């Protein structure tokens, strides 16, 4: 998604990677926002390991119906990615 200084809202991220032509994008955005507690329109710091971990966990849960990975593992990967 288009970012400004590494910031992007959940709505932009999910719409880009799960477009309405292929998904119920509104439900996806709502699920990710509910799981993370982030406002779907708020610009998120995508350079923050904590933010990346929360997003990864929420997206994984939405895509798979469960979040099968240990939080510590997701946190470690998010820290390396940030």
């Amino acid at each position: 998604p288009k970012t400004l200084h590494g910031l992007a809202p959940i709505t932009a991220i999910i719409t880009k990677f799960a477009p309405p032509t292929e998904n119920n994008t509104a439900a996806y955005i709502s699920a990710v926002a509910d799981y993370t507690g982030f406002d779907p329109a708020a610009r998120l710091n995508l350079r923050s390991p904590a933010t990346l971990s929360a997003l990864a966990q929420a997206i994984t849960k939405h895509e798979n119906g469960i979040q099968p990975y240990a939080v510590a593992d997701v946190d470690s990967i998010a820290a390396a990615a940030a």
Side-chain angles (χ1 to χ4, degrees):
K2 190 174 223 177
T3 64
L4 176 63
H5 307 293
L7 307 177
I10 290 172
T11 54
I13 295 166
I14 300 303
T15 301
K16 171 140 178 103
F17 296 106
T21 56
E22 301 172 9
N23 300 274
N24 182 343
T25 304
Y28 202 147
I29 290 167
S30 180
V32 171
D34 288 348
Y35 188 93
T36 62
F38 299 146
D39 180 323
R43 289 191 169 275
L44 303 177
N45 181 354
L46 300 180
R47 295 182 180 137
S48 161
T51 299
L52 288 178
S53 179
L55 286 172
Q57 291 177 63
I59 290 167
T60 299
K61 183 175 187 317
H62 186 79
E63 291 287 339
N64 296 299
I66 60 169
Q67 189 347 349
Y69 306 110
V71 172
D73 291 339
V74 179
D75 286 348
S76 177
I77 293 166

